[in-house]
Amino acid sequence: MSRRKSPLSLSEARRVALGAQGFDRPRPSRAVGLADLRRVFARLGHLQFDSVNVVARAHHQVLFSRLGAFDLALLDALVARGEVTEQWAHEACFVPMSTWPLLAHRREEFQVRPRHFDAFLRQHPGYLDEILAAVERRGALTADELHVPEGAARRLENSWFGTAPRAALETLFGRGNLVIAGRRKGLVRVYDLPTRVVPAHLRETTVSRHEAERALLDQAGRAHGVATAADLADYFRMSRDAARPRLAELVEAGRLHEVDVEGFREPAYLHAEARVPRRIAAQALLSPFDPVVRFRPRTRRLFAFDYRFEIFIPDENRKWGTYVLPFLLGDRLVARADLKADRDAGKLRILAAHRELGPGLPADAVIAEALAAELGALATWMGLEVAVPGRRARGAFARPLASVLRR
């Protein structure tokens, strides 16, 4: 069994983790192209999709954090070229098309969503077949282009899917009978047959569940660099019990090396391709769904950063704000800012700013200058201007940040 003899310091572990996520290199100084997006997908393995547009869409912001300003059409182009598709991976994600065979067992086990839609399907047992036949006959379709059974209500109560056609399409998508062929205005999903989207060699590739789980965990290891079993299992939403024997196989194969990390309560795994960068010179606001901060126990372990996403919490109970983005400077999470894109006014508004406290963190002035610069870059990419936080802005760091922004 492979085990690294010397333990990793916490600083080394942070640098390994951030390097694996692509923060070990500067953002491109030239125009970002398809090759840059391919590189991010190769590192991360998936890009979690989220439609919330309080600042920028999560999947777009993860790319911006690593690449800087880029044309949103580039991601659409990867989808149109058949290099990237959507699947349930961590959650709803963009994944390289090559991942399709590895998620077959997920499609086989897919549960109807929402759960009460099961009753609808029992009442109308031929509905899914009718939807599938309509797509086969008419080509790629959206939910709005499909009917409901006679006498059935189109809208589904208490469901974010909204309508019966949408829920039916999502069920067929989850099972692999349909795939997402692209999106129309407003991020509306377009559904088509796998035979018209997924290359034949991938559709015909059969991978056992154990092989698939091992490959997904290997990808999780590459994306994390160094991680615990819980971190690795969460990356593709796998149970720890299912992950542990596969991790042992990866250790035996030399793909992972067991290692002790300063401050970790359990052993970690260092990926065979991981490197320890001498330094990380990152400067990025991170989406709440960025892999660096998405699994909160890992964020606390690596960065001593207690992150809570409070968008669904009543305002009076929020500690940090509605849509708070952690700020990465070097290899530390040094601040957090509650932001809102006011597109009507053309402003990126700062509703709150908080500075982290702890040993080894930069001075206030250094953090304020760097955060102001990153806010400016983010706003410019979004076609907005940064609004200087006013008196109502929350957080003790709002004032020093405002002073820098006024200059």
Side-chain angles (χ1 to χ4, degrees):
M1 184 171 288
S2 176
R3 186 176 188 89
R4 190 177 191 271
K5 294 181 179 179
S6 58
L8 285 174
S9 70
L10 191 56
S11 174
E12 287 175 322
R14 281 196 298 267
R15 281 180 274 141
V16 169
L18 291 169
Q21 282 285 310
F23 288 109
D24 58 341
R25 61 172 68 190
R27 292 167 174 167
S29 56
R30 34 134 189 99
V32 172
L34 289 175
D36 298 298
L37 270 68
R38 292 186 187 108
R39 175 165 47 82
V40 174
F41 271 104
R43 282 178 177 265
L44 272 58
H46 62 241
L47 195 63
Q48 185 171 337
F49 173 88
D50 193 79
S51 61
V52 174
N53 208 20
V54 175
V55 182
R57 312 278 187 199
H59 46 291
H60 292 147
Q61 194 179 337
V62 169
L63 291 168
F64 176 84
S65 295
R66 290 151 178 80
L67 301 175
F70 73 99
D71 186 343
L72 303 186
L74 289 173
L75 182 55
D76 297 331
L78 285 181
V79 173
R81 292 164 65 101
E83 296 184 39
V84 166
T85 189
E86 293 186 46
Q87 282 284 279
W88 288 99
H90 177 78
E91 293 291 337
C93 293
F94 292 97
V95 299
M97 187 67 80
S98 58
T99 307
W100 170 269
L102 302 181
L103 297 172
H105 63 284
R106 297 283 184 84
R107 295 189 290 271
E108 291 167 1
E109 297 173 353
F110 184 81
Q111 299 294 313
V112 173
R113 302 179 187 183
R115 290 183 179 179
H116 65 264
F117 189 57
D118 264 333
F120 182 100
L121 294 177
R122 286 194 297 270
Q123 293 171 359
H124 308 281
Y127 187 51
L128 293 182
D129 290 336
E130 292 175 19
I131 295 293
L132 198 56
V135 175
E136 184 174 6
R137 183 177 66 254
R138 296 163 56 189
L141 296 173
T142 68
D144 288 344
E145 296 171 301
L146 291 164
H147 74 289
V148 293
E150 186 175 349
R154 187 173 186 85
R155 293 210 59 79
L156 292 177
E157 298 298 326
N158 304 315
S159 169
W160 66 273
F161 284 129
T163 67
R166 172 72 191 283
L169 288 166
E170 285 295 317
T171 297
L172 291 166
F173 164 62
R175 292 175 176 175
N177 303 111
L178 293 176
V179 295
I180 309 302
R183 288 181 180 263
R184 295 181 184 165
K185 186 176 180 181
L187 296 182
V188 174
R189 279 178 156 180
V190 182
Y191 302 80
D192 205 348
L193 300 177
T195 52
R196 296 199 281 244
V197 177
V198 182
H201 73 278
L202 294 176
R203 285 186 279 110
E204 295 165 3
T205 297
T206 301
V207 182
S208 72
R209 180 179 185 137
H210 287 178
E211 290 176 302
E213 289 176 339
R214 189 162 55 244
L216 293 173
L217 287 167
D218 186 49
Q219 173 60 68
R222 283 199 304 273
H224 275 325
V226 62
T228 65
D231 301 336
L232 296 170
D234 179 76
Y235 202 70
F236 280 98
R237 285 288 199 245
M238 201 179 300
S239 75
R240 295 186 206 180
D241 287 342
R244 288 189 186 280
R246 308 288 81 79
L247 292 174
E249 292 166 6
L250 289 168
V251 170
E252 188 67 28
R255 296 296 293 167
L256 295 175
H257 306 284
E258 290 188 321
V259 61
D260 294 321
V261 178
E262 176 191 357
F264 281 27
R265 294 182 178 180
E266 57 184 288
Y269 297 89
L270 181 70
H271 196 268
E273 297 175 19
R275 299 293 178 266
V276 185
R278 291 184 179 180
R279 63 188 294 266
I280 297 289
Q283 181 174 297
L285 283 158
L286 303 180
S287 159
F289 304 102
D290 193 293
V292 173
V293 296
R294 190 175 61 194
F295 189 48
R296 311 304 189 226
R298 176 176 170 81
T299 308
R300 284 192 294 272
R301 231 183 293 119
L302 277 174
F303 299 99
F305 189 91
D306 190 14
Y307 185 40
R308 189 170 68 159
F309 187 43
E310 300 178 314
I311 194 170
F312 300 115
I313 297 174
D315 186 60
E316 62 272 15
N317 296 331
R318 289 176 183 142
K319 180 178 181 180
W320 306 108
T322 304
Y323 203 81
V324 175
L325 307 184
F327 181 51
L328 175 67
L329 184 61
D331 67 351
R332 304 292 296 274
L333 294 173
V334 300
R336 59 187 91 196
D338 184 18
L339 305 180
K340 180 177 177 58
D342 185 347
R343 292 173 175 83
D344 290 338
K347 301 288 186 181
L348 178 61
R349 301 201 181 278
I350 304 165
L351 308 181
H354 309 270
R355 181 219 198 282
E356 293 301 297
L357 301 175
L361 294 178
D364 282 7
V366 174
I367 296 174
E369 289 282 354
L371 179 54
E374 186 61 15
L375 286 164
L378 178 63
T380 299
W381 172 59
M382 297 169 62
L384 305 174
E385 293 182 357
V386 180
V388 176
R391 293 181 179 180
R392 292 187 178 181
R394 297 191 296 182
F397 201 58
R399 183 172 294 179
L401 179 59
S403 296
V404 173
L405 289 169
R406 286 194 190 98
R407 294 207 301 262

